[in-house]
mmCIF file of all heavy atoms in Angstrom:
data_model
loop_
_atom_site.group_PDB
_atom_site.id
_atom_site.type_symbol
_atom_site.label_atom_id
_atom_site.label_comp_id
_atom_site.label_asym_id
_atom_site.label_seq_id
_atom_site.Cartn_x
_atom_site.Cartn_y
_atom_site.Cartn_z
ATOM 1 N N MET A 1 78.568 123.937 97.613
ATOM 2 C CA MET A 1 80.017 123.904 97.558
ATOM 3 C C MET A 1 80.403 123.540 96.147
ATOM 4 O O MET A 1 79.888 122.659 95.481
ATOM 5 C CB MET A 1 80.602 122.894 98.542
ATOM 6 C CG MET A 1 82.018 123.142 98.876
ATOM 7 S SD MET A 1 82.580 122.100 100.197
ATOM 8 C CE MET A 1 82.877 120.576 99.354
ATOM 9 N N LYS A 2 81.408 124.256 95.642
ATOM 10 C CA LYS A 2 81.936 123.976 94.280
ATOM 11 C C LYS A 2 82.871 122.859 94.234
ATOM 12 O O LYS A 2 83.721 122.668 95.100
ATOM 13 C CB LYS A 2 82.550 125.288 93.701
ATOM 14 C CG LYS A 2 81.587 126.308 93.302
ATOM 15 C CD LYS A 2 82.304 127.361 92.518
ATOM 16 C CE LYS A 2 81.272 128.402 92.011
ATOM 17 N NZ LYS A 2 81.946 129.499 91.268
ATOM 18 N N LYS A 3 82.686 122.136 93.182
ATOM 19 C CA LYS A 3 83.620 120.986 92.937
ATOM 20 C C LYS A 3 84.919 121.456 92.338
ATOM 21 O O LYS A 3 84.983 122.358 91.560
ATOM 22 C CB LYS A 3 82.994 120.026 91.951
ATOM 23 C CG LYS A 3 82.376 118.828 92.588
ATOM 24 C CD LYS A 3 82.042 117.776 91.531
ATOM 25 C CE LYS A 3 80.734 117.183 91.720
ATOM 26 N NZ LYS A 3 80.314 116.385 90.567
ATOM 27 N N LYS A 4 85.972 120.789 92.766
ATOM 28 C CA LYS A 4 87.285 121.095 92.172
ATOM 29 C C LYS A 4 87.950 119.773 91.801
ATOM 30 O O LYS A 4 87.646 118.745 92.329
ATOM 31 C CB LYS A 4 88.216 121.803 93.176
ATOM 32 C CG LYS A 4 87.822 123.251 93.393
ATOM 33 C CD LYS A 4 89.011 124.103 93.661
ATOM 34 C CE LYS A 4 88.774 125.545 93.519
ATOM 35 N NZ LYS A 4 90.002 126.367 93.787
ATOM 36 N N TYR A 5 88.821 119.906 90.851
ATOM 37 C CA TYR A 5 89.510 118.746 90.335
ATOM 38 C C TYR A 5 90.983 118.873 90.442
ATOM 39 O O TYR A 5 91.532 119.952 90.240
ATOM 40 C CB TYR A 5 89.096 118.451 88.861
ATOM 41 C CG TYR A 5 87.658 118.086 88.708
ATOM 42 C CD1 TYR A 5 86.702 119.099 88.499
ATOM 43 C CD2 TYR A 5 87.271 116.744 88.786
ATOM 44 C CE1 TYR A 5 85.375 118.742 88.356
ATOM 45 C CE2 TYR A 5 85.904 116.460 88.647
ATOM 46 C CZ TYR A 5 85.007 117.445 88.428
ATOM 47 O OH TYR A 5 83.684 117.106 88.273
ATOM 48 N N ARG A 6 91.637 117.803 90.725
ATOM 49 C CA ARG A 6 93.079 117.757 90.762
ATOM 50 C C ARG A 6 93.566 116.895 89.673
ATOM 51 O O ARG A 6 93.159 115.696 89.585
ATOM 52 C CB ARG A 6 93.530 117.168 92.129
ATOM 53 C CG ARG A 6 94.870 117.581 92.525
ATOM 54 C CD ARG A 6 95.109 117.164 93.887
ATOM 55 N NE ARG A 6 95.246 115.692 93.950
ATOM 56 C CZ ARG A 6 96.246 115.032 94.538
ATOM 57 N NH1 ARG A 6 97.200 115.704 95.160
ATOM 58 N NH2 ARG A 6 96.309 113.733 94.442
ATOM 59 N N ILE A 7 94.378 117.416 88.766
ATOM 60 C CA ILE A 7 94.820 116.709 87.638
ATOM 61 C C ILE A 7 96.334 116.445 87.785
ATOM 62 O O ILE A 7 97.102 117.343 87.824
ATOM 63 C CB ILE A 7 94.575 117.519 86.329
ATOM 64 C CG1 ILE A 7 93.076 117.728 86.156
ATOM 65 C CG2 ILE A 7 95.097 116.678 85.153
ATOM 66 C CD1 ILE A 7 92.771 118.771 85.189
ATOM 67 N N LYS A 8 96.653 115.147 87.841
ATOM 68 C CA LYS A 8 98.029 114.771 88.079
ATOM 69 C C LYS A 8 98.592 114.145 86.821
ATOM 70 O O LYS A 8 97.978 113.240 86.242
ATOM 71 C CB LYS A 8 98.089 113.769 89.236
ATOM 72 C CG LYS A 8 99.330 113.792 90.003
ATOM 73 C CD LYS A 8 99.091 112.974 91.277
ATOM 74 C CE LYS A 8 100.253 111.944 91.436
ATOM 75 N NZ LYS A 8 99.952 110.938 92.385
ATOM 76 N N THR A 9 99.723 114.595 86.417
ATOM 77 C CA THR A 9 100.348 114.061 85.232
ATOM 78 C C THR A 9 101.688 113.517 85.539
ATOM 79 O O THR A 9 102.410 114.011 86.443
ATOM 80 C CB THR A 9 100.502 115.087 84.119
ATOM 81 O OG1 THR A 9 101.180 116.224 84.614
ATOM 82 C CG2 THR A 9 99.151 115.540 83.584
ATOM 83 N N SER A 10 102.088 112.439 84.856
ATOM 84 C CA SER A 10 103.389 111.860 85.038
ATOM 85 C C SER A 10 103.809 111.317 83.675
ATOM 86 O O SER A 10 103.268 110.392 83.170
ATOM 87 C CB SER A 10 103.304 110.785 86.059
ATOM 88 O OG SER A 10 104.492 110.040 86.136
ATOM 89 N N CYS A 11 104.874 111.919 83.122
ATOM 90 C CA CYS A 11 105.311 111.567 81.811
ATOM 91 C C CYS A 11 106.200 110.288 81.777
ATOM 92 O O CYS A 11 107.175 110.229 82.531
ATOM 93 C CB CYS A 11 106.100 112.737 81.179
ATOM 94 S SG CYS A 11 106.698 112.363 79.547
ATOM 95 N N PRO A 12 105.699 109.273 81.046
ATOM 96 C CA PRO A 12 106.485 108.004 81.024
ATOM 97 C C PRO A 12 107.814 108.134 80.254
ATOM 98 O O PRO A 12 108.698 107.313 80.440
ATOM 99 C CB PRO A 12 105.573 107.033 80.309
ATOM 100 C CG PRO A 12 104.629 107.861 79.476
ATOM 101 C CD PRO A 12 104.566 109.197 80.182
ATOM 102 N N GLN A 13 107.906 109.145 79.413
ATOM 103 C CA GLN A 13 109.119 109.279 78.622
ATOM 104 C C GLN A 13 110.249 110.054 79.349
ATOM 105 O O GLN A 13 111.400 109.576 79.429
ATOM 106 C CB GLN A 13 108.779 110.010 77.345
ATOM 107 C CG GLN A 13 110.000 110.045 76.390
ATOM 108 C CD GLN A 13 109.579 110.198 74.953
ATOM 109 O OE1 GLN A 13 109.093 109.279 74.302
ATOM 110 N NE2 GLN A 13 109.716 111.412 74.441
ATOM 111 N N CYS A 14 109.951 111.218 79.855
ATOM 112 C CA CYS A 14 111.011 112.035 80.466
ATOM 113 C C CYS A 14 110.893 112.106 81.970
ATOM 114 O O CYS A 14 111.823 112.600 82.629
ATOM 115 C CB CYS A 14 111.068 113.406 79.924
ATOM 116 S SG CYS A 14 109.679 114.468 80.341
ATOM 117 N N GLY A 15 109.811 111.575 82.543
ATOM 118 C CA GLY A 15 109.739 111.452 83.975
ATOM 119 C C GLY A 15 109.268 112.650 84.695
ATOM 120 O O GLY A 15 109.176 112.650 85.923
ATOM 121 N N CYS A 16 108.977 113.730 83.983
ATOM 122 C CA CYS A 16 108.518 114.918 84.684
ATOM 123 C C CYS A 16 107.053 114.759 85.084
ATOM 124 O O CYS A 16 106.287 114.025 84.459
ATOM 125 C CB CYS A 16 108.684 116.225 83.858
ATOM 126 S SG CYS A 16 107.590 116.248 82.433
ATOM 127 N N SER A 17 106.695 115.422 86.181
ATOM 128 C CA SER A 17 105.337 115.271 86.672
ATOM 129 C C SER A 17 104.805 116.607 87.123
ATOM 130 O O SER A 17 105.568 117.535 87.425
ATOM 131 C CB SER A 17 105.204 114.263 87.749
ATOM 132 O OG SER A 17 106.017 114.658 88.841
ATOM 133 N N GLY A 18 103.534 116.735 87.239
ATOM 134 C CA GLY A 18 102.944 117.985 87.700
ATOM 135 C C GLY A 18 101.540 117.777 88.135
ATOM 136 O O GLY A 18 100.871 116.788 87.835
ATOM 137 N N VAL A 19 101.060 118.754 88.917
ATOM 138 C CA VAL A 19 99.666 118.745 89.420
ATOM 139 C C VAL A 19 99.030 120.044 89.099
ATOM 140 O O VAL A 19 99.636 121.082 89.313
ATOM 141 C CB VAL A 19 99.598 118.446 90.934
ATOM 142 C CG1 VAL A 19 98.212 118.480 91.412
ATOM 143 C CG2 VAL A 19 100.299 117.159 91.294
ATOM 144 N N SER A 20 97.830 120.053 88.565
ATOM 145 C CA SER A 20 97.125 121.296 88.418
ATOM 146 C C SER A 20 95.754 121.155 88.949
ATOM 147 O O SER A 20 95.146 120.097 89.046
ATOM 148 C CB SER A 20 97.093 121.734 86.964
ATOM 149 O OG SER A 20 96.720 120.669 86.116
ATOM 150 N N HIS A 21 95.227 122.334 89.416
ATOM 151 C CA HIS A 21 93.896 122.337 90.027
ATOM 152 C C HIS A 21 92.966 123.188 89.159
ATOM 153 O O HIS A 21 93.318 124.298 88.749
ATOM 154 C CB HIS A 21 93.998 122.980 91.437
ATOM 155 C CG HIS A 21 94.851 122.177 92.340
ATOM 156 N ND1 HIS A 21 94.304 121.265 93.212
ATOM 157 C CD2 HIS A 21 96.169 122.182 92.529
ATOM 158 C CE1 HIS A 21 95.375 120.707 93.932
ATOM 159 N NE2 HIS A 21 96.467 121.237 93.535
ATOM 160 N N LEU A 22 91.815 122.591 88.906
ATOM 161 C CA LEU A 22 90.812 123.300 88.096
ATOM 162 C C LEU A 22 89.456 123.274 88.726
ATOM 163 O O LEU A 22 89.109 122.254 89.398
ATOM 164 C CB LEU A 22 90.744 122.679 86.701
ATOM 165 C CG LEU A 22 91.904 122.789 85.737
ATOM 166 C CD1 LEU A 22 91.580 122.024 84.461
ATOM 167 C CD2 LEU A 22 92.218 124.249 85.399
ATOM 168 N N SER A 23 88.721 124.284 88.543
ATOM 169 C CA SER A 23 87.335 124.289 89.042
ATOM 170 C C SER A 23 86.483 123.489 88.027
ATOM 171 O O SER A 23 86.919 123.166 86.965
ATOM 172 C CB SER A 23 86.781 125.709 89.188
ATOM 173 O OG SER A 23 86.643 126.257 87.954
ATOM 174 N N GLU A 24 85.265 123.224 88.415
ATOM 175 C CA GLU A 24 84.359 122.482 87.571
ATOM 176 C C GLU A 24 84.136 123.205 86.257
ATOM 177 O O GLU A 24 84.108 122.629 85.154
ATOM 178 C CB GLU A 24 83.052 122.250 88.267
ATOM 179 C CG GLU A 24 82.157 121.184 87.661
ATOM 180 C CD GLU A 24 80.940 120.845 88.488
ATOM 181 O OE1 GLU A 24 80.664 121.598 89.440
ATOM 182 O OE2 GLU A 24 80.299 119.868 88.136
ATOM 183 N N GLU A 25 83.963 124.520 86.327
ATOM 184 C CA GLU A 25 83.730 125.340 85.107
ATOM 185 C C GLU A 25 84.973 125.245 84.169
ATOM 186 O O GLU A 25 84.813 125.168 83.000
ATOM 187 C CB GLU A 25 83.450 126.807 85.499
ATOM 188 C CG GLU A 25 82.171 127.004 86.221
ATOM 189 C CD GLU A 25 82.377 126.966 87.716
ATOM 190 O OE1 GLU A 25 83.166 127.767 88.284
ATOM 191 O OE2 GLU A 25 81.835 126.054 88.351
ATOM 192 N N GLU A 26 86.167 125.380 84.761
ATOM 193 C CA GLU A 26 87.368 125.310 83.921
ATOM 194 C C GLU A 26 87.503 123.958 83.286
ATOM 195 O O GLU A 26 87.960 123.878 82.139
ATOM 196 C CB GLU A 26 88.552 125.655 84.842
ATOM 197 C CG GLU A 26 88.651 127.149 85.227
ATOM 198 C CD GLU A 26 89.729 127.378 86.248
ATOM 199 O OE1 GLU A 26 89.942 126.548 87.116
ATOM 200 O OE2 GLU A 26 90.343 128.441 86.144
ATOM 201 N N MET A 27 87.172 122.948 83.984
ATOM 202 C CA MET A 27 87.272 121.582 83.404
ATOM 203 C C MET A 27 86.371 121.466 82.246
ATOM 204 O O MET A 27 86.776 120.942 81.226
ATOM 205 C CB MET A 27 86.800 120.550 84.496
ATOM 206 C CG MET A 27 87.894 120.109 85.505
ATOM 207 S SD MET A 27 89.103 119.050 84.774
ATOM 208 C CE MET A 27 88.123 117.561 84.484
ATOM 209 N N LYS A 28 85.117 121.922 82.404
ATOM 210 C CA LYS A 28 84.131 121.794 81.305
ATOM 211 C C LYS A 28 84.571 122.596 80.141
ATOM 212 O O LYS A 28 84.373 122.205 79.010
ATOM 213 C CB LYS A 28 82.747 122.263 81.824
ATOM 214 C CG LYS A 28 82.155 121.213 82.672
ATOM 215 C CD LYS A 28 80.619 121.098 82.492
ATOM 216 C CE LYS A 28 80.037 119.970 83.265
ATOM 217 N NZ LYS A 28 79.172 120.433 84.348
ATOM 218 N N LYS A 29 85.075 123.804 80.395
ATOM 219 C CA LYS A 29 85.471 124.683 79.323
ATOM 220 C C LYS A 29 86.654 124.072 78.564
ATOM 221 O O LYS A 29 86.721 124.114 77.302
ATOM 222 C CB LYS A 29 85.939 126.000 79.924
ATOM 223 C CG LYS A 29 85.644 127.206 78.942
ATOM 224 C CD LYS A 29 86.367 128.470 79.394
ATOM 225 C CE LYS A 29 85.654 129.045 80.656
ATOM 226 N NZ LYS A 29 86.422 130.249 81.078
ATOM 227 N N ARG A 30 87.552 123.444 79.231
ATOM 228 C CA ARG A 30 88.729 122.950 78.562
ATOM 229 C C ARG A 30 88.611 121.531 77.997
ATOM 230 O O ARG A 30 89.062 121.196 76.950
ATOM 231 C CB ARG A 30 89.924 122.893 79.520
ATOM 232 C CG ARG A 30 90.528 124.252 79.868
ATOM 233 C CD ARG A 30 91.829 124.072 80.529
ATOM 234 N NE ARG A 30 92.134 125.218 81.354
ATOM 235 C CZ ARG A 30 93.279 125.440 81.975
ATOM 236 N NH1 ARG A 30 94.202 124.506 81.910
ATOM 237 N NH2 ARG A 30 93.471 126.509 82.648
ATOM 238 N N TYR A 31 87.877 120.682 78.717
ATOM 239 C CA TYR A 31 87.842 119.283 78.333
ATOM 240 C C TYR A 31 86.415 118.762 78.074
ATOM 241 O O TYR A 31 86.297 117.602 77.728
ATOM 242 C CB TYR A 31 88.471 118.469 79.373
ATOM 243 C CG TYR A 31 89.895 118.908 79.777
ATOM 244 C CD1 TYR A 31 90.148 119.434 80.988
ATOM 245 C CD2 TYR A 31 90.901 118.839 78.837
ATOM 246 C CE1 TYR A 31 91.435 119.862 81.362
ATOM 247 C CE2 TYR A 31 92.200 119.245 79.178
ATOM 248 C CZ TYR A 31 92.443 119.771 80.453
ATOM 249 O OH TYR A 31 93.738 120.209 80.801
ATOM 250 N N GLY A 32 85.377 119.536 78.314
ATOM 251 C CA GLY A 32 84.066 119.029 78.221
ATOM 252 C C GLY A 32 83.779 118.020 79.282
ATOM 253 O O GLY A 32 84.359 118.114 80.361
ATOM 254 N N ASP A 33 82.956 117.039 78.929
ATOM 255 C CA ASP A 33 82.633 116.037 79.953
ATOM 256 C C ASP A 33 83.362 114.768 79.779
ATOM 257 O O ASP A 33 82.978 113.696 80.255
ATOM 258 C CB ASP A 33 81.043 115.757 79.910
ATOM 259 C CG ASP A 33 80.306 116.891 80.503
ATOM 260 O OD1 ASP A 33 80.749 117.417 81.519
ATOM 261 O OD2 ASP A 33 79.248 117.238 79.979
ATOM 262 N N VAL A 34 84.446 114.848 79.127
ATOM 263 C CA VAL A 34 85.264 113.629 78.841
ATOM 264 C C VAL A 34 85.933 113.144 80.111
ATOM 265 O O VAL A 34 86.644 113.922 80.737
ATOM 266 C CB VAL A 34 86.297 113.955 77.759
ATOM 267 C CG1 VAL A 34 87.102 112.678 77.371
ATOM 268 C CG2 VAL A 34 85.712 114.506 76.508
ATOM 269 N N PRO A 35 85.725 111.907 80.457
ATOM 270 C CA PRO A 35 86.325 111.385 81.695
ATOM 271 C C PRO A 35 87.861 111.140 81.592
ATOM 272 O O PRO A 35 88.604 111.195 82.516
ATOM 273 C CB PRO A 35 85.592 110.075 82.013
ATOM 274 C CG PRO A 35 85.047 109.650 80.642
ATOM 275 C CD PRO A 35 84.900 110.915 79.838
ATOM 276 N N ASN A 36 88.277 110.793 80.389
ATOM 277 C CA ASN A 36 89.735 110.595 80.209
ATOM 278 C C ASN A 36 90.358 111.808 79.497
ATOM 279 O O ASN A 36 89.997 112.175 78.437
ATOM 280 C CB ASN A 36 89.934 109.372 79.309
ATOM 281 C CG ASN A 36 89.425 108.074 80.017
ATOM 282 O OD1 ASN A 36 89.637 107.918 81.226
ATOM 283 N ND2 ASN A 36 88.740 107.256 79.260
ATOM 284 N N ILE A 37 91.296 112.384 80.224
ATOM 285 C CA ILE A 37 91.915 113.549 79.668
ATOM 286 C C ILE A 37 93.359 113.193 79.257
ATOM 287 O O ILE A 37 94.107 112.481 80.003
ATOM 288 C CB ILE A 37 91.956 114.684 80.780
ATOM 289 C CG1 ILE A 37 90.566 115.115 81.014
ATOM 290 C CG2 ILE A 37 92.883 115.776 80.333
ATOM 291 C CD1 ILE A 37 90.453 116.096 82.160
ATOM 292 N N GLU A 38 93.731 113.644 78.078
ATOM 293 C CA GLU A 38 95.070 113.465 77.621
ATOM 294 C C GLU A 38 95.787 114.824 77.508
ATOM 295 O O GLU A 38 95.208 115.790 77.017
ATOM 296 C CB GLU A 38 95.099 112.794 76.232
ATOM 297 C CG GLU A 38 94.719 111.333 76.333
ATOM 298 C CD GLU A 38 94.821 110.630 75.009
ATOM 299 O OE1 GLU A 38 94.744 111.344 73.968
ATOM 300 O OE2 GLU A 38 94.962 109.418 74.984
ATOM 301 N N LEU A 39 96.978 114.883 77.997
ATOM 302 C CA LEU A 39 97.701 116.111 77.998
ATOM 303 C C LEU A 39 99.078 115.935 77.321
ATOM 304 O O LEU A 39 99.557 114.828 77.291
ATOM 305 C CB LEU A 39 97.959 116.631 79.414
ATOM 306 C CG LEU A 39 96.767 117.073 80.211
ATOM 307 C CD1 LEU A 39 97.135 117.349 81.622
ATOM 308 C CD2 LEU A 39 96.069 118.262 79.613
ATOM 309 N N GLU A 40 99.574 117.027 76.788
ATOM 310 C CA GLU A 40 100.883 116.929 76.221
ATOM 311 C C GLU A 40 101.933 117.367 77.255
ATOM 312 O O GLU A 40 101.792 118.355 77.939
ATOM 313 C CB GLU A 40 100.967 117.946 75.061
ATOM 314 C CG GLU A 40 101.274 117.334 73.741
ATOM 315 C CD GLU A 40 101.277 118.339 72.611
ATOM 316 O OE1 GLU A 40 101.743 119.442 72.791
ATOM 317 O OE2 GLU A 40 100.645 118.042 71.549
ATOM 318 N N CYS A 41 103.000 116.597 77.312
ATOM 319 C CA CYS A 41 104.080 116.902 78.207
ATOM 320 C C CYS A 41 104.762 118.293 77.779
ATOM 321 O O CYS A 41 105.021 118.387 76.576
ATOM 322 C CB CYS A 41 105.145 115.808 78.208
ATOM 323 S SG CYS A 41 106.567 116.156 79.209
ATOM 324 N N HIS A 42 104.984 119.144 78.693
ATOM 325 C CA HIS A 42 105.584 120.424 78.320
ATOM 326 C C HIS A 42 107.078 120.317 78.053
ATOM 327 O O HIS A 42 107.688 121.188 77.538
ATOM 328 C CB HIS A 42 105.261 121.474 79.356
ATOM 329 C CG HIS A 42 105.761 121.201 80.698
ATOM 330 N ND1 HIS A 42 105.115 120.464 81.645
ATOM 331 C CD2 HIS A 42 106.990 121.524 81.267
ATOM 332 C CE1 HIS A 42 105.862 120.354 82.757
ATOM 333 N NE2 HIS A 42 106.958 120.980 82.553
ATOM 334 N N GLU A 43 107.689 119.145 78.442
ATOM 335 C CA GLU A 43 109.056 118.957 78.217
ATOM 336 C C GLU A 43 109.334 118.260 76.877
ATOM 337 O O GLU A 43 110.123 118.741 76.091
ATOM 338 C CB GLU A 43 109.697 118.101 79.303
ATOM 339 C CG GLU A 43 109.594 118.719 80.721
ATOM 340 C CD GLU A 43 110.640 119.860 80.903
ATOM 341 O OE1 GLU A 43 111.616 119.943 80.138
ATOM 342 O OE2 GLU A 43 110.423 120.704 81.805
ATOM 343 N N CYS A 44 108.692 117.167 76.618
ATOM 344 C CA CYS A 44 108.991 116.366 75.451
ATOM 345 C C CYS A 44 107.836 116.219 74.470
ATOM 346 O O CYS A 44 107.976 115.551 73.440
ATOM 347 C CB CYS A 44 109.499 114.955 75.850
ATOM 348 S SG CYS A 44 108.224 113.966 76.626
ATOM 349 N N MET A 45 106.698 116.803 74.791
ATOM 350 C CA MET A 45 105.499 116.814 73.901
ATOM 351 C C MET A 45 104.846 115.481 73.694
ATOM 352 O O MET A 45 104.002 115.321 72.872
ATOM 353 C CB MET A 45 105.889 117.381 72.479
ATOM 354 C CG MET A 45 106.385 118.770 72.515
ATOM 355 S SD MET A 45 105.128 119.848 73.298
ATOM 356 C CE MET A 45 105.992 121.394 73.329
ATOM 357 N N MET A 46 105.233 114.550 74.510
ATOM 358 C CA MET A 46 104.541 113.245 74.434
ATOM 359 C C MET A 46 103.146 113.372 75.003
ATOM 360 O O MET A 46 102.963 114.067 75.994
ATOM 361 C CB MET A 46 105.350 112.220 75.262
ATOM 362 C CG MET A 46 104.744 110.806 75.140
ATOM 363 S SD MET A 46 105.801 109.620 75.891
ATOM 364 C CE MET A 46 104.721 108.182 75.867
ATOM 365 N N VAL A 47 102.188 112.690 74.369
ATOM 366 C CA VAL A 47 100.789 112.730 74.862
ATOM 367 C C VAL A 47 100.658 111.649 75.971
ATOM 368 O O VAL A 47 101.026 110.511 75.737
ATOM 369 C CB VAL A 47 99.798 112.527 73.766
ATOM 370 C CG1 VAL A 47 98.381 112.456 74.324
ATOM 371 C CG2 VAL A 47 99.896 113.659 72.743
ATOM 372 N N MET A 48 100.176 112.088 77.093
ATOM 373 C CA MET A 48 100.059 111.137 78.210
ATOM 374 C C MET A 48 98.680 111.242 78.871
ATOM 375 O O MET A 48 98.001 112.233 78.756
ATOM 376 C CB MET A 48 101.163 111.400 79.231
ATOM 377 C CG MET A 48 101.129 112.847 79.766
ATOM 378 S SD MET A 48 102.579 113.241 80.716
ATOM 379 C CE MET A 48 102.378 114.981 80.914
ATOM 380 N N ASP A 49 98.272 110.225 79.512
ATOM 381 C CA ASP A 49 97.039 110.203 80.263
ATOM 382 C C ASP A 49 97.167 110.954 81.506
ATOM 383 O O ASP A 49 98.196 110.857 82.187
ATOM 384 C CB ASP A 49 96.608 108.782 80.577
ATOM 385 C CG ASP A 49 96.128 107.997 79.332
ATOM 386 O OD1 ASP A 49 95.658 108.638 78.406
ATOM 387 O OD2 ASP A 49 96.403 106.766 79.289
ATOM 388 N N ALA A 50 96.184 111.734 81.915
ATOM 389 C CA ALA A 50 96.223 112.463 83.152
ATOM 390 C C ALA A 50 95.269 111.749 84.105
ATOM 391 O O ALA A 50 94.251 111.226 83.760
ATOM 392 C CB ALA A 50 95.802 113.889 82.926
ATOM 393 N N ASP A 51 95.655 111.803 85.335
ATOM 394 C CA ASP A 51 94.888 111.196 86.417
ATOM 395 C C ASP A 51 94.043 112.274 87.100
ATOM 396 O O ASP A 51 94.577 113.204 87.691
ATOM 397 C CB ASP A 51 95.862 110.578 87.396
ATOM 398 C CG ASP A 51 95.102 109.911 88.592
ATOM 399 O OD1 ASP A 51 93.968 109.415 88.370
ATOM 400 O OD2 ASP A 51 95.669 109.814 89.664
ATOM 401 N N VAL A 52 92.711 112.225 86.934
ATOM 402 C CA VAL A 52 91.864 113.299 87.425
ATOM 403 C C VAL A 52 91.120 112.782 88.647
ATOM 404 O O VAL A 52 90.519 111.790 88.683
ATOM 405 C CB VAL A 52 90.823 113.720 86.367
ATOM 406 C CG1 VAL A 52 89.972 114.844 86.893
ATOM 407 C CG2 VAL A 52 91.513 114.142 85.066
ATOM 408 N N LYS A 53 91.207 113.617 89.703
ATOM 409 C CA LYS A 53 90.521 113.289 90.942
ATOM 410 C C LYS A 53 89.728 114.476 91.409
ATOM 411 O O LYS A 53 90.183 115.604 91.276
ATOM 412 C CB LYS A 53 91.516 112.883 92.035
ATOM 413 C CG LYS A 53 92.083 111.535 91.788
ATOM 414 C CD LYS A 53 92.451 110.887 93.092
ATOM 415 C CE LYS A 53 92.853 109.450 92.876
ATOM 416 N NZ LYS A 53 94.222 109.320 92.318
ATOM 417 N N GLU A 54 88.575 114.206 91.920
ATOM 418 C CA GLU A 54 87.793 115.350 92.551
ATOM 419 C C GLU A 54 88.414 115.673 93.853
ATOM 420 O O GLU A 54 88.892 114.839 94.598
ATOM 421 C CB GLU A 54 86.351 114.910 92.802
ATOM 422 C CG GLU A 54 85.510 114.908 91.571
ATOM 423 C CD GLU A 54 84.082 114.539 91.795
ATOM 424 O OE1 GLU A 54 83.553 114.754 92.962
ATOM 425 O OE2 GLU A 54 83.454 113.977 90.920
ATOM 426 N N SER A 55 88.480 116.928 94.166
ATOM 427 C CA SER A 55 89.051 117.326 95.488
ATOM 428 C C SER A 55 88.129 118.245 96.181
ATOM 429 O O SER A 55 87.309 118.961 95.570
ATOM 430 C CB SER A 55 90.427 117.911 95.336
ATOM 431 O OG SER A 55 90.356 119.153 94.677
ATOM 432 N N GLU A 56 88.157 118.272 97.461
ATOM 433 C CA GLU A 56 87.161 119.026 98.268
ATOM 434 C C GLU A 56 87.456 120.525 98.324
ATOM 435 O O GLU A 56 86.587 121.342 98.495
ATOM 436 C CB GLU A 56 87.154 118.483 99.676
ATOM 437 C CG GLU A 56 86.877 117.006 99.746
ATOM 438 C CD GLU A 56 85.352 116.714 99.896
ATOM 439 O OE1 GLU A 56 84.766 117.208 100.811
ATOM 440 O OE2 GLU A 56 84.909 115.958 99.084
ATOM 441 N N ASN A 57 88.714 120.909 98.201
ATOM 442 C CA ASN A 57 88.953 122.339 98.291
ATOM 443 C C ASN A 57 90.077 122.772 97.417
ATOM 444 O O ASN A 57 91.011 122.166 97.067
ATOM 445 C CB ASN A 57 89.296 122.814 99.733
ATOM 446 C CG ASN A 57 90.148 121.804 100.441
ATOM 447 O OD1 ASN A 57 91.178 121.372 99.947
ATOM 448 N ND2 ASN A 57 89.734 121.394 101.652
HETATM 449 ZN ZN1 ZN K 101 107.874 114.345 78.921
#
């Protein structure tokens, strides 16, 4: 079974939030093996920590 990840973001500045789903391959391609992922808010461009969780499907 393939691993999937759920990445949850919540911007402390403008309050927008979002969830994205990535497969293991996509995670490695984009972020490597880094456990802490930082993303830019698409609204205000603030860099924020993303909460990454493994998900079953
Ligand atoms: Zn923001």
